[in-house]
Amino acid sequence: MKIQNQINLKSFSSQDGFISNYQKLIKDVVLPYQYQVLNDNAEGAEKSHVIKNFINAGKALLNLDVDDGFYGMVFQDSDAAKWLEAVAYSLVVFPDKELEKIADDLICIIKNAQDKDGYLNTYYTIKDSDKRWTNLHEGHELYCAGHMMEAACAYYEATGKDTLLEVMEKNAEHIFSVFMNKDSFLFQAYPGHPEVELALLKMYKTTKNKHFLELAEHFINVRGENPHFFADEKAKRTWSVWNSIPDNGEYAQNAKPVREQSDATGHSVRAVYLYDSMADLAGLTDDEELKNACKRLWHSITQKRMYITGGIGSTVHGEAFSVDYDLPNDTAYCETCASIGLMFFASKMLEMDVNNEYADVMEKAFYNTVLAGMQLDGKKFFYVNPLEIIPGIAGVAQTHKHDLPQRPQWYACACCPPNVARLISSFAQYAYGENDKTSFCHLYADGKINFNNGNQIVCKTKYPYEFDVKFEVCDVKNQNSEFAIRIPSWSKKFTITKNGKKGTYELKNGYAYISICKGDEILLKLDSNPYFVYPSTKIPDLSGNVAICRGPLVYCMESVDNYEDILSLCVNTNGKIKVLPFEQDLLSGTTPLLIDGYKIIQDEDLYSFEKPKFIKTKIKAVPYYTWGNRGINQMKVWFSYK
Ligand code: FUB
Ligand code: ZN
């Protein structure tokens, strides 16, 4: 049984603060820029063609000439879907008739690309309809459908317009008829890339159509029942996308039925999208066994396979989780989408069990890897988020080709950029939750929240750069109303005052539960001191290293701030960390740190018999999410210390 739900999309409004500024950037820069890219109008950016693909699919259905055919990845459709979803969330925060019209027009194009039976996918419609549903291993039809379903639910909730929702209901019913036919080979099939499961659950919640719950449940339950399904499927087909050979089931999380899984394995985005849907289903259906599997997988990720930045999937090979404690900095993969998926998973775990262990990770992933995924100007994006970059090696050495020192404008495989846009514009969904009695604050976002339960609360804060969070209770449902505020585990001390006096609260699983009345003013003061983080000795790559954080922000050092060379620096952990004043003109507004450290003086030889000298120095650090915004530059998160 769910303990709390995300707030309604329309419950949050905001004009000010860190999150609101990011949401303005999405509206003013990111969405228009990405729309240009999707239309192949952004100079210098990788070609997308995705909107043209939809137009061409519509033509193909009418047997018209499809001049420039299909272009891009087999899952190209999903870029348009994620963009539309981001537009929907943005329209809630910043209504904009012009943007809404652009989105409505795109929806029209998408509707025209849908076949009479409900099928919708431009790759297959343009290239070869006979290939439909014959290659779930590589083909991404269900993945693309899932993303469009998410867009449809979001657009309906944001605007009340149901054109896309109707398209996707028809599509979901079509998928139901194909995959729920007990006599078909496809009855044992499951998606190569999980995504449609979580989307079908959204469709169920939006439309209340039980088929969608049944189908999501089926896809989740059937996964891994036949671990060889992809090989069986391959034996039946004569075509492939990448000629990939089905492995032992690790890559796509199908080695075992999901309830028996314990280690987070394989492609990290696939994994967390799947785990998100498992947690959602477990909460919806009160399924203890499934919930326990989710908890095991959660612990596998967060206790053994996650970076300090909330990055996951440490290896480029298969964009995947590696084994426990294999967390290299310089060859890290850490796809932006994977940290977004981790936030989804965390949010669903929170719905079943309000505990700061989930919200802490959600926050870590957001303020570090997810935000690092986008240039501060909103026009360039990282797919891979390493924790160390040494130009000359990064992006050049064969082993480091994937770790780029600068964000590109776009990608041939462009899953991450629109994913960041939809995540930031829907931030409030992750920040606040509610049930009949209690309103929850998991993350702190400045703004007003009209909870469905009748409570109305205004949050005022300059978080994550200041650590006072004020809540004004504008209205309450009744006398028993309650507000639960997360106390992050990084905050070594905190105080809560209510109406200027020491507040009374019950601390449960990292949340302070406070009874609230109309007019109450609650002030949470978190620890503003920077702090050192020491890694487990089980992580070989981090042995003898330390990282520096303040609040949820992991800091890094860049050579541009440190004598053009950070490799010769080491931190003095007995020294001081000075919090420098907030600089509005630095990196879109940030608070740098000045750390006591040493510079190692060594001769130029590759190896030397002389012990190096250490001279005292100060090291400047900036938040990790801001790195790579000042040209090509060395960057490190972990440092040796003395
Ligand atoms: O396969 C679709 C998306 O493209 C995945 O989620 C990303 O990892 C990228 O491979
Ligand atoms: Zn991605």
Side-chain angles (χ1 to χ4, degrees), residues 269 335-337 383 415-416 419:
V269 183
E335 184 178 339
T336 309
C337 287
Y383 186 115
C415 49
C416 303
N419 223 356

Side-chain angles (χ1 to χ4, degrees), residues 562-574:
N562 293 290
Y563 331 100
E564 300 304 331
D565 169 36
I566 55 172
L567 292 178
S568 64
L569 299 179
C570 102
V571 167
N572 174 4
T573 45
N574 295 314

Side-chain angles (χ1 to χ4, degrees), residues 473-485:
V473 181
C474 306
D475 211 349
V476 286
K477 181 187 177 186
N478 56 38
Q479 301 288 42
N480 297 323
S481 294
E482 188 179 54
F483 190 36
I485 313 171

Side-chain angles (χ1 to χ4, degrees), residues 313-329:
S314 63
T315 175
V316 60
H317 302 291
E319 309 182 302
F321 285 104
S322 179
V323 292
D324 290 350
Y325 308 112
D326 181 24
L327 297 166
N329 295 314

Side-chain angles (χ1 to χ4, degrees), residues 110-350:
I110 293 169
K111 184 176 153 75
N112 289 340
Q114 181 170 43
D115 210 341
K116 283 194 225 43
D117 59 1
Y119 185 85
L120 175 66
N121 188 294
T122 71
Y123 177 91
Y124 296 85
T125 301
I126 296 170
K127 287 197 157 198
D128 189 351
S129 279
D130 289 345
K131 289 180 179 157
R132 284 179 182 193
W133 310 125
T134 57
N135 186 354
L136 298 183
H137 184 221
E138 302 172 311
H140 284 73
E141 282 156 297
L142 292 168
Y143 171 88
C144 290
H147 275 300
M148 201 57 87
M149 288 177 201
E150 288 195 82
C153 294
Y155 204 73
Y156 171 69
E157 280 174 39
T159 63
K161 294 179 182 170
D162 60 3
T163 309
L164 189 59
L165 188 62
E166 278 181 9
V167 167
M168 293 321 290
E169 281 183 86
K170 192 168 166 192
N171 178 256
E173 284 290 7
H174 170 68
I175 296 173
F176 184 93
S177 70
V178 172
F179 288 90
M180 295 299 278
N181 173 0
K182 293 199 170 74
D183 301 327
S184 156
F185 167 70
L186 288 176
F187 190 60
Q188 51 171 311
Y190 38 86
H193 193 314
E195 155 60 32
V196 77
E197 303 86 336
L198 73 89
L200 283 163
L201 292 172
K202 284 192 181 179
M203 288 285 284
Y204 165 64
K205 288 178 217 168
T206 307
T207 64
K208 306 283 176 286
N209 182 331
K210 288 237 166 73
H211 272 180
F212 305 155
L213 173 63
E214 221 180 295
L215 185 56
E217 203 161 7
H218 170 75
F219 279 142
I220 291 169
N221 289 340
V222 80
R223 183 167 217 92
E225 285 291 345
N226 170 8
H228 310 292
F229 174 76
F230 295 134
D232 296 348
E233 173 199 68
K234 189 168 166 50
K236 286 169 79 85
R237 65 177 146 85
T238 51
W239 74 285
S240 89
V241 181
W242 299 292
N243 210 11
S244 44
I245 298 163
D247 68 354
N248 57 7
E250 280 233 324
Y251 176 74
Q253 302 79 39
N254 59 310
K256 297 179 195 166
V258 296
R259 284 176 178 71
E260 294 168 27
Q261 298 186 15
S262 296
D263 287 334
T265 58
H267 185 272
S268 57
V269 183
R270 287 168 207 244
V272 279
Y273 283 11
L274 172 67
Y275 307 155
D276 168 51
S277 69
M278 286 162 60
D280 200 2
L281 182 65
L284 275 170
T285 57
D286 218 356
D287 183 332
E288 271 303 306
E289 201 187 358
L290 195 56
K291 181 176 173 185
N292 287 335
C294 292
K295 279 192 175 171
R296 290 194 303 273
L297 293 161
W298 175 264
H299 288 135
S300 164
I301 297 177
T302 57
Q303 292 175 9
K304 294 174 183 162
R305 298 184 177 191
M306 182 179 75
Y307 286 89
I308 188 176
T309 51
I312 55 170
S314 63
T315 175
V316 60
H317 302 291
E319 309 182 302
F321 285 104
S322 179
V323 292
D324 290 350
Y325 308 112
D326 181 24
L327 297 166
N329 295 314
D330 56 342
T331 57
Y333 201 73
C334 295
E335 184 178 339
T336 309
C337 287
S339 289
I340 291 172
L342 180 61
M343 289 183 66
F344 298 164
F345 182 27
S347 169
K348 292 295 168 3
M349 293 303 282
L350 259 181

